[in-house]
């Protein structure tokens, strides 16, 4: 199957999973399929965006991305996922957040305190406008500056990644859930010192209400509709390069 067909299939599968949906805005254009083909008016941009507080899924208006402790020495301790794959997936995730202009928070630990190596530059440079929080606490949620940064986004759905799964990610993810946020962890962007450590961390978060996803869910869910063309070309490139791992400039 061609990569573009894979993308179409993925988004169509997502749209199927979303039915039946609550009523949307009354200005929705009625579309009818005849003999298996629908006809759309000129300039059609898909179904109306759902209100941020009524959308049960990730959207550009209700989500924020938070990445914790993606630092070289901490990455070296990750043993349950290939490092190159983890960086590739995290890169796709950050690029997606930038495309849809959702708030981004990066946090690393002990840089100002004792000169610990900062966030991996390859990832940091992808979002130069991200809010940055340097911490001393293993649990970011116990750091007032971090919590204030989360609150300042005004978003209730948090896409959270971190190293390691069972420590610096699990603690603030669980705390955020207890504080009333909906937390989503793209499991293929995180890792820990062993598969057992990773699985224990995921289990602990899930029991607290955190939703496990994979990174490709985020661009599919934020885009949502093929007829919304303003960011479709950009996000398709992310799918091609980081999910299907083909040249995004090739002929599809």
């Amino acid at each position: 199957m061609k990569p573009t067909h894979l993308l179409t299939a993925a988004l169509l599968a997502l749209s199927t999973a979303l039915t039946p949906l609550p009523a949307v805005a009354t200005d929705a254009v009625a579309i009818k399929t005849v003999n298996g083909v629908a006809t759309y008016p000129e300039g059609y941009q898909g179904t109306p965006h759902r209100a941020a507080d009524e959308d049960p899924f990730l959207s550009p208006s209700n989500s924020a991305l938070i990445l914790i402790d993606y630092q070289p020495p901490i990455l070296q301790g990750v043993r349950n996922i290939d490092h190159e794959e983890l960086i590739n997936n995290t890169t796709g995730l950050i690029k997606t957040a930038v495309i849809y202009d959702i708030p981004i928070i990066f946090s690393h630990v002990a840089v100002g305190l004792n000169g610990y190596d900062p966030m991996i530059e390859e990832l940091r440079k992808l979002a130069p406008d991200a809010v940055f929080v340097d911490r001393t606490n293993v649990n970011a949620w116990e750091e007032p500056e971090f919590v204030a940064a989360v609150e300042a986004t005004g978003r209730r759905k948090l896409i959270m990644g971190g190293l390691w799964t069972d420590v610096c990610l699990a603690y603030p993810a669980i705390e955020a859930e207890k504080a009333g946020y909906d937390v989503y962890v793209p499991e293929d962007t995180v890792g820990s010192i062993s598969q057992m450590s990773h699985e224990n961390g995921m289990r602990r978060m899930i029991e607290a209400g955190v939703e496990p996803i994979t990174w490709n869910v985020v661009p599919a869910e934020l885009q949502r509709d093929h007829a919304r063309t303003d960011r479709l070309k950009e996000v398709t490139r992310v799918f091609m390069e980081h999910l299907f791992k083909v040249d995004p400039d090739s002929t599809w």
Side-chain angles (χ1 to χ4, degrees):
M1 184 179 290
K2 292 183 178 180
T4 47
H5 294 167
L6 287 172
L7 175 59
T8 299
L11 290 177
L12 287 176
L14 175 65
S15 64
T16 300
L18 299 182
T19 57
L21 295 173
V24 295
T26 55
D27 60 350
V29 177
I31 302 296
K32 185 175 178 60
T33 301
V34 178
N35 295 326
V37 179
T39 302
Y40 303 94
E42 184 178 355
Y44 181 69
Q45 288 294 304
T47 55
H49 288 274
R50 300 162 79 175
D53 59 349
E54 295 177 358
D55 197 334
F57 299 96
L58 299 170
S59 79
S61 62
N62 68 15
S63 306
L65 174 64
I66 301 171
L67 296 181
I68 300 170
D69 294 355
Y70 286 78
Q71 297 164 256
I74 300 177
L75 176 63
Q76 289 306 310
V78 171
R79 295 288 183 267
N80 69 300
I81 182 173
D82 178 76
H83 292 183
E84 184 176 344
E85 183 70 10
L86 186 151
I87 295 298
N88 171 77
N89 297 344
T90 307
T91 298
L93 184 64
I94 297 172
K95 286 182 177 180
T96 297
V98 171
I99 288 170
Y100 291 95
D101 196 27
I102 70 173
I104 300 173
I105 299 172
F106 291 153
S107 183
H108 53 205
V109 67
V111 176
L113 181 68
N114 58 20
Y116 208 52
D117 286 348
M119 184 176 182
I120 298 166
E121 182 63 20
E122 176 184 350
L123 298 178
R124 180 175 182 170
K125 68 182 182 181
L126 295 172
D129 295 329
V131 171
F132 228 104
V133 178
D134 182 21
R135 318 181 323 276
T136 63
N137 207 304
V138 173
N139 178 6
W141 207 262
E142 293 183 47
E143 202 85 32
E145 183 185 9
F146 181 87
V147 176
V150 175
E151 292 174 345
T153 69
R155 307 301 178 90
R156 304 305 299 178
K157 295 186 183 295
L158 308 179
I159 306 159
M160 294 184 68
L163 307 178
W164 301 323
T165 312
D166 50 335
V167 184
C168 296
L169 172 60
Y171 302 158
I174 291 169
E175 294 256 39
E177 278 285 341
K178 288 183 177 180
Y181 292 90
D182 296 325
V183 180
Y184 301 77
V185 170
E187 189 172 353
D188 49 357
T189 67
V190 308
S192 194
I193 60 175
S194 68
Q195 186 61 28
M196 180 182 292
S197 297
H198 172 76
E199 290 176 356
N200 283 344
M202 291 302 304
R203 185 180 304 111
R204 192 176 185 184
M205 288 187 285
I206 290 168
E207 288 176 356
V210 173
E211 295 190 40
I213 58 175
T214 50
W215 82 266
N216 61 286
V217 168
V218 178
E221 214 153 302
L222 296 182
Q223 175 61 28
R224 199 82 64 88
D225 194 318
H226 284 277
R228 296 171 184 165
T229 58
D230 57 339
R231 296 179 173 95
L232 184 59
K233 184 175 181 179
E234 291 177 276
V235 77
T236 298
R237 289 183 62 87
V238 171
F239 270 104
M240 301 297 287
E241 184 175 2
H242 298 286
L243 183 62
F244 306 134
K245 298 179 181 176
V246 299
D247 180 1
D249 294 314
S250 61
T251 302
W252 305 337

